[in-house]
Amino acid sequence: MSSKKLHLVSLGCNKNLVDSEVMLGRLANYQLTNEVSDADVIIVNTCGFIEAAKVESINTILNMHKNRKKDSLLVVSGCLSERYKEELTKELPEVDIFTGVGDYERIDELISLKQSSFTPEVYLANENSPRVITGSKYHAYIKLSEGCNQNCSFCAIPSFKGKLKSRSIDSVIAEVQNLISAGFRDFSFISQDTSSFGRDFGNKDALIDLIKQVELLPGIKSARILYLYPSTTTFELIDAIAESKIFKTYYDMPIQHISNNMLKVMKRGFGKEKTIELLEYMKSKKDSFIRTAVIAGHPGESEQDFIELKDFINNFPFDRVTVFEYSNEENTAAYNLEQLPKELISKRATILGEIARKKMLDSNKKLINKEIELIIDGISSEHEFLLSARPSNWAPEIDGEVLINDSSDFKVEHGDYYIAKVTQLADITPLATLIKKVK
């Protein structure tokens, strides 16, 4: 290992995290450090999705520069860098190297040459891409595709990530096999629009085919699929997930709104009736867990539209709801529409956020006195005498945790699977007792 030190910050989504892990793989000869002031190379992999993410990215870059040591290299990569390359290269002289979303696997070369690069093609990791998985010894994200063929009015991603570009099923299977060999047993399959996986090479059932092939792999214990899109989610796909012994009955489908008027304005390609039909079908599946996301304050959202969304979220038994305030993004269809006042957007988001918290509380209450399968993540940040765990049908980081306050004297290790009994809630968080280890 080189004596040179590397500090990397990955912002935004888990799709971005996969690209950050590829950069770590290319720079495996560097020693990782948590201290910016010790690093010879600092990388900020930025997010440029909405205004809050852009502000966070810029602030992080400036903060890294403020705390860096002399002669270190500050590298900025990712979506924000790609989306605003002309502006940022002019306005951020603090940055030594700029790169976008096409050169993650060339990062070592760019650092060696001290050279910026914006390859026009979007990078998509495959089974041969070196990767250093971060944050877990048992769980990994698998990116299935890049880009998106949808035309949502509020989303700028296709403008800088391009059209859908899927990996082959063989490539995905090979990567999963490599990771199983390295000790990983739990996987989350992700992309911008995961239910469209394979449609660019003419296979509308590619995700179902992938589910069936993953099930045949020895050593994998659990998996889930994130980011389904209503108009490309079929009843057959819902069935395939529900019937799988490996994939959890986990449905993550951002609906964004429920009013027909707003779904049309948002260019979602799907109306209220069909959206509800899909959700009801998901709900009918045994042990289903349903997550969604909605936007408050999109242009054109009347008070009546908002009440319709509020009432629907309140009445449908979602397990998790993420609420976004509408962010007006250039290069989107909604950019030049008449905007709602920011105060009104925030007010509506707050109301929906309170309902989202209640949904989580209601969902977690259903676990009391039940036995569930969970995975141990380690000592809880809440207290040294509590263990943090995650039910195997919850996604990492976004769905919360279960706290183990009685380990029943098991010798517990990170990544172990257990059956546990949930005894009560501490505020909104389930508390549980370990019952037996799952082999």
Side-chain angles (χ1 to χ4, degrees):
M1 183 177 279
S2 160
S3 58
K4 289 200 167 182
K5 293 182 179 180
L6 168 68
H7 180 81
L8 184 143
V9 180
S10 189
L11 300 172
C13 66
N14 291 314
K15 298 179 286 295
N16 223 29
L17 178 64
V18 172
D19 296 326
S20 294
E21 291 174 346
V22 168
M23 289 194 284
L24 290 177
R26 297 301 303 184
L27 300 168
N29 59 325
Y30 279 76
Q31 183 183 339
L32 293 179
T33 176
N34 291 323
E35 299 299 325
V36 184
S37 56
D38 286 346
D40 299 286
V41 174
I42 302 150
I43 300 176
V44 181
N45 197 16
T46 59
C47 176
F49 179 42
I50 56 176
E51 187 61 31
K54 291 186 276 190
V55 170
E56 182 187 21
S57 291
I58 295 294
N59 287 342
T60 302
I61 293 165
L62 295 175
N63 190 46
M64 294 296 113
H65 172 67
K66 180 182 172 185
N67 293 297
R68 68 197 281 199
K69 69 179 184 181
K70 191 183 176 187
D71 298 329
S72 62
L73 280 179
L74 178 55
V75 184
V76 171
S77 64
C79 295
L80 186 79
S81 186
E82 182 72 38
R83 189 175 174 189
Y84 298 104
K85 48 182 172 274
E86 287 84 8
E87 297 92 324
L88 292 181
T89 48
K90 284 178 191 167
E91 293 173 18
L92 285 177
E94 297 89 347
V95 176
D96 301 297
I97 298 171
F98 281 101
T99 181
V101 295
D103 294 297
Y104 294 114
E105 215 166 316
R106 290 183 58 224
I107 193 69
D108 50 341
E109 180 189 338
L110 299 181
I111 287 170
S112 174
L113 296 171
K114 296 185 180 176
Q115 177 183 309
S116 294
S117 174
F118 288 94
T119 297
E121 181 135 340
V122 178
Y123 173 77
L124 178 57
N126 61 40
E127 73 276 19
N128 299 314
S129 307
R131 237 177 109 189
V132 174
I133 309 295
T134 59
S136 179
K137 293 176 182 173
Y138 71 87
H139 171 268
Y141 292 98
I142 306 291
K143 194 193 283 195
L144 300 182
S145 61
E146 264 296 1
C148 185
N149 286 352
Q150 311 299 342
N151 297 300
C152 301
S153 62
F154 50 83
C155 183
I157 287 173
S159 71
F160 58 90
K161 283 284 185 97
K163 292 289 188 184
L164 178 72
K165 177 187 168 190
S166 301
R167 295 168 62 180
S168 69
I169 291 175
D170 287 348
S171 169
V172 176
I173 293 296
E175 182 183 11
V176 176
Q177 285 176 315
N178 291 343
L179 288 166
I180 290 170
S181 298
F184 291 87
R185 298 178 289 172
D186 180 54
F187 298 91
S188 297
F189 292 82
I190 56 173
S191 42
Q192 195 60 43
D193 168 12
T194 309
S195 46
S196 289
F197 169 65
R199 289 182 176 229
D200 50 322
F201 50 75
N203 182 359
K204 71 179 181 61
D205 292 324
L207 194 53
I208 295 173
D209 295 342
L210 177 65
I211 288 168
K212 289 175 179 172
Q213 290 201 36
V214 168
E215 286 188 313
L216 301 174
L217 300 177
I220 184 168
K221 289 187 73 73
S222 49
R224 66 209 56 78
I225 294 164
L226 305 184
Y227 317 126
L228 303 175
Y229 192 91
S231 65
T232 53
T233 297
T234 62
F235 294 114
E236 291 80 10
L237 175 59
I238 293 170
D239 284 339
I241 293 169
E243 291 161 10
S244 172
K245 288 181 171 62
I246 295 296
F247 283 84
K248 298 299 173 181
T249 311
Y250 184 99
Y251 301 110
D252 172 27
M253 188 176 75
I255 60 170
Q256 309 303 2
H257 218 284
I258 201 61
S259 144
N260 270 324
N261 170 52
M262 289 313 301
L263 291 171
K264 189 174 180 181
V265 171
M266 288 176 159
K267 298 179 182 286
R268 294 290 286 169
F270 228 46
K272 174 179 181 174
E273 189 180 338
K274 287 186 175 179
T275 302
I276 292 175
E277 209 178 328
L278 284 175
L279 288 169
E280 290 288 348
Y281 196 61
M282 291 171 178
K283 187 179 79 173
S284 72
K285 299 301 176 183
K286 187 175 183 288
D287 297 327
S288 64
F289 186 99
I290 305 175
R291 161 178 275 282
T292 197
V294 295
I295 295 174
H298 187 285
E301 185 185 59
S302 67
E303 186 67 23
Q304 187 179 339
D305 292 324
F306 172 69
I307 290 169
E308 190 175 349
L309 174 62
K310 174 174 73 78
D311 289 347
F312 181 72
I313 296 295
N314 204 24
N315 293 326
F316 189 85
F318 289 109
D319 293 282
R320 299 290 186 272
V321 180
T322 299
V323 178
F324 289 100
E325 289 190 20
Y326 171 76
S327 176
N328 199 27
E329 299 297 318
E330 55 266 66
N331 298 319
T332 64
Y335 185 64
N336 291 315
L337 298 179
E338 186 178 347
Q339 305 294 309
L340 271 61
K342 285 192 174 179
E343 301 76 28
L344 180 60
I345 295 173
S346 293
K347 181 184 175 185
R348 288 179 177 178
T350 300
I351 292 167
L352 294 179
E354 287 167 359
I355 296 171
R357 189 180 191 280
K358 182 179 178 294
K359 294 278 106 179
M360 184 175 179
L361 177 62
D362 291 346
S363 174
N364 287 356
K365 273 181 180 174
K366 293 175 190 171
L367 298 178
I368 295 173
N369 295 322
K370 281 194 174 177
E371 292 185 8
I372 58 171
E373 180 184 73
L374 44 73
I375 317 168
I376 304 296
D377 275 323
I379 304 295
S380 168
S381 58
E382 298 285 323
H383 196 284
E384 60 182 312
F385 294 138
L386 297 173
L387 291 170
S388 177
R390 172 174 59 86
S392 57
N393 68 327
W394 291 10
E397 299 161 41
I398 56 174
D399 289 331
E401 64 177 343
V402 171
L403 295 175
I404 308 299
N405 59 354
D406 185 352
S407 63
S408 303
D409 293 329
F410 285 107
K411 189 181 176 185
V412 177
E413 290 191 21
H414 178 90
D416 284 351
Y417 283 66
Y418 279 88
I419 300 297
K421 184 173 183 178
V422 176
T423 54
Q424 65 187 90
L425 297 187
D427 185 26
I428 204 167
T429 304
L431 298 179
T433 299
L434 297 186
I435 294 174
K436 65 178 179 182
K437 189 170 182 178
V438 179
K439 291 181 180 176

